[in-house]
Amino acid sequence: QAQLVESGGGLVQPGGSLRLSCQASGSIFSHYVTGWYRQAPGKQREWVAGFMTSTTTNYADSVKGRFTISRDNVKNTVYLQMNSLKFEDTGVYYCKAVVSMTAYWGQGTQVTVSS
């Protein structure tokens, strides 16, 4: 069964760091994961970071210079390293994969930035 499972979220103070993981399994391999998204309370889901090609990445302006997306194909896992976290980074973070034009999402992991 194709599945994505996010983990690593939690409560962190402003300026802190978290590393999110997206574990792919079943018919999904990490190289099918296209990126990370987030959804803040009362807002639409937004794109945060992604792979443009197998070796190039891109980021939303709001996280550029603070977040880094990477993947370990041996572990079939995609990561999102988040540094210098801000209040506005609070939300549920999701990873997305596309396999044969079908999109797959994980259940999300909650990130709360609060003092």
Side-chain angles (χ1 to χ4, degrees):
Q1 181 178 358
Q3 193 173 17
L4 296 171
V5 178
E6 299 97 335
S7 63
L11 174 64
V12 63
Q13 292 186 339
S17 298
L18 285 174
R19 188 177 79 155
L20 306 184
S21 299
C22 170
Q23 176 71 56
S25 62
S27 59
I28 302 178
F29 296 96
S30 55
H31 59 265
Y32 291 136
V33 175
T34 61
W36 286 91
Y37 294 72
R38 68 186 179 190
Q39 188 165 18
K43 294 188 177 181
Q44 289 189 331
R45 191 172 299 186
E46 64 175 355
W47 173 79
V48 173
F51 298 103
M52 300 299 102
T53 68
S54 60
T55 57
T56 60
T57 57
N58 201 7
Y59 301 88
D61 287 343
S62 59
V63 307
K64 201 169 291 184
R66 300 187 297 121
F67 290 11
T68 303
I69 188 171
S70 63
R71 61 179 155 216
D72 184 333
N73 289 335
V74 173
K75 296 182 178 180
N76 219 22
T77 301
V78 173
Y79 302 98
L80 185 68
Q81 177 66 43
M82 306 188 297
N83 298 328
S84 302
L85 283 162
K86 304 177 180 180
F87 293 119
E88 53 264 41
D89 294 319
T90 293
V92 179
Y93 284 69
Y94 302 88
C95 57
K96 176 185 176 182
V98 178
V99 182
S100 300
M101 295 188 291
T102 298
Y104 294 86
W105 297 88
Q107 83 292 345
T109 185
Q110 175 71 46
V111 172
T112 302
V113 184
S114 175
S115 54

